[in-house]
Amino acid sequence: MTNRLMYYLEADNILYEAHFVFRKGRGTMSPLTRVKNFVEGAKEENKISCMVSFDIQNAFNSIKWADIKKQLVAYKVPRKLARLLDSFLRDRSVVLSDGST
């Protein structure tokens, strides 16, 4: 399912250039390299650089499924794929365990 969705999003250039998650050839080092190059470029030009970073803990588990479905419509994901994702997300819940049982 992920492969089909990513193929669609990549083929139609829907994702932002700075989107790195789940993209081929873009591992965790890609955004770090981009930041490093930006800072080095600023230093070479005697400019000041500043960075703000957000770590949204448990973001996927916190988002409402209805909001994901709205984005599928906004991105004009093919109907068959949207129905498949809708079926996958329907009646899902997140169960957390501390591992003690």
Side-chain angles (χ1 to χ4, degrees), residues 17-57:
E17 179 61 28
H19 184 99
F20 293 95
V21 179
F22 299 117
R23 294 181 83 173
K24 289 182 182 177
R26 296 183 186 215
T28 54
M29 292 306 295
S30 297
L32 296 174
T33 300
R34 194 169 172 168
V35 169
K36 178 182 151 269
N37 292 341
F38 176 83
V39 171
E40 287 175 350
K43 280 184 176 181
E44 288 174 7
E45 297 178 23
N46 291 323
K47 293 183 177 179
I48 297 171
S49 59
C50 177
M51 183 173 108
V52 177
S53 175
F54 294 101
D55 180 14
I56 303 173
Q57 184 180 12

Side-chain angles (χ1 to χ4, degrees), residues 85-100:
L85 292 168
D86 181 55
S87 174
F88 177 77
L89 295 173
R90 191 176 304 124
D91 298 324
R92 293 273 175 171
S93 60
V94 177
V95 178
L96 301 175
S97 172
D98 63 5
S100 62

Side-chain angles (χ1 to χ4, degrees), residues 68-83:
I68 293 174
K69 292 176 191 178
K70 286 179 189 175
Q71 288 302 309
L72 295 175
V73 172
Y75 286 135
K76 299 178 183 171
V77 170
R79 184 177 295 165
K80 285 183 180 180
L81 183 55
R83 284 196 328 244

